[in-house]
Amino acid sequence: SRVIVRLEDNEQQLLALTLERDIATLDRMSDAELDRLVPPDLAHPHRSRVFLAAADGITVITERLRELVPAGKACMTLWPAADTRYFYPRPRPDEFRRVLDVASGETVLFYHGNVHAANATEVRELYAAVVELNGSGHAVTLIRTGLDRVTFPAALAAAAAPFVLNLGQILHHRHLPPLMALADIFVQPGEPDAFNDYRFPSKLPEFFALGRPVVLPRTNLGLVVRHGVDAFVLDQADAAGIATAVRALRADAALAEKLGRGAVAFAEKHFSWQRSAAALAKFYLSLAPS
């Protein structure tokens, strides 16, 4: 049989962030030392290289991950997509929103996904943006789903609490889109770095498919989409950048509508599980014995 490995993250960076050690320090450790430190859900920096070298082929979620693929190894880039049975342009459920909104002209953001050591800093920036916007007279509610595997700074958690509706873990993915339809804007926080440059947040195809303006940083997918056409692209999607983008979109209804249409058009052109499956099947066949 053939062995194909899927890469979706800079695994060494994930391990470094989790263990709070730099990559060079971890690489100098012996296998025995690393065996004691590396948790079962992360990649061993030495053994993973041996595993990749033995694979017959590798698929990657972003082009940058090709840097981690052994030279000469068969490789293809395969983007994620969204399940079109559930993720498609949905009108905002205004009756539901009237129950949710606490102020006239309120803005609702939505963020789904777990918070862990690798993305905690950027999610905190999203929370800080929500606090800043509300403090400056722009009523904003953030709807959250997912699990928090790290704690937020006490002061930030307390300041954000009145403006965050945390629904916890949604066990059935198909239940997310009706909740996501409540949002006016989707935000993917972050900035170019050794974590974001190599990944492709799986929530992004779902954001685009719903037909709302998407705010994201100039890294991974943010290097491909066109600012002002497909999405609102920030050099850094930190608290200040996110707040600026939200204010701009709420002040310019025509721009928000344009980016909502642009998001759907981009999703239809670039995100398709059917096309991805066909490309992957072709890659598998290219590795099959003659």
Side-chain angles (χ1 to χ4, degrees), residues 22 32 44 74 112 158 160 162 168 188 196 198 218 273 278:
D22 63 78
H44 190 293
H112 59 298
Q188 174 62 49
N196 282 311
Y198 292 84
R218 202 178 301 279
W273 281 129

Side-chain angles (χ1 to χ4, degrees), residues 18-217:
T18 301
L19 298 181
E20 298 182 337
R21 292 171 166 86
D22 63 78
I23 293 174
T25 298
L26 291 170
D27 207 34
R28 287 194 297 269
M29 291 182 177
S30 68
D31 283 349
E33 289 176 301
L34 288 167
D35 287 345
R36 292 192 294 269
L37 287 173
V38 178
D41 59 339
L42 292 176
H44 190 293
H46 298 166
R47 301 189 194 285
S48 61
R49 289 193 194 116
V50 176
F51 183 62
L52 289 178
D56 295 288
I58 295 174
T59 71
V60 295
I61 203 168
T62 65
E63 285 295 311
R64 282 294 300 272
L65 280 168
R66 289 177 180 264
E67 297 173 11
L68 309 181
V69 175
K73 192 70 64 178
C75 181
M76 74 167 293
T77 302
L78 194 69
W79 278 8
D83 190 335
T84 54
R85 292 175 299 172
Y86 310 112
F87 293 89
Y88 52 81
R90 292 173 179 257
R92 196 178 79 169
D94 287 331
E95 187 173 350
F96 195 172
R97 275 290 298 267
R98 281 193 289 272
V99 175
L100 179 67
D101 291 355
V102 296
S104 177
E106 179 159 2
T107 301
V108 173
L109 311 179
F110 189 99
Y111 184 88
H112 59 298
N114 298 333
V115 182
H116 44 76
N119 69 354
T121 299
E122 58 196 45
V123 177
R124 288 167 187 157
E125 291 292 320
L126 174 59
Y127 274 52
V130 170
V131 172
E132 178 186 334
L133 286 161
N134 280 283
S136 62
H138 294 76
V140 174
T141 292
L142 171 64
I143 301 176
R144 270 286 318 280
T145 69
L147 301 176
D148 293 343
R149 305 189 188 280
V150 295
T151 57
F152 286 77
L156 176 60
F163 315 117
V164 178
L165 177 59
N166 199 328
L167 303 180
Q169 187 176 29
I170 305 297
L171 295 178
H172 298 291
H173 206 62
R174 66 183 182 276
H175 292 164
L176 280 172
L179 297 171
M180 295 172 69
L182 290 163
D184 299 296
I185 301 167
F186 293 126
V187 177
Q188 174 62 49
E191 62 183 16
D193 58 25
F195 171 58
N196 282 311
D197 291 351
Y198 292 84
R199 74 183 188 122
F200 191 128
S202 59
K203 66 178 69 61
L204 287 178
E206 296 165 359
F207 281 172
F208 278 77
L210 264 289
R212 301 292 192 276
V214 180
V215 177
L216 73 170

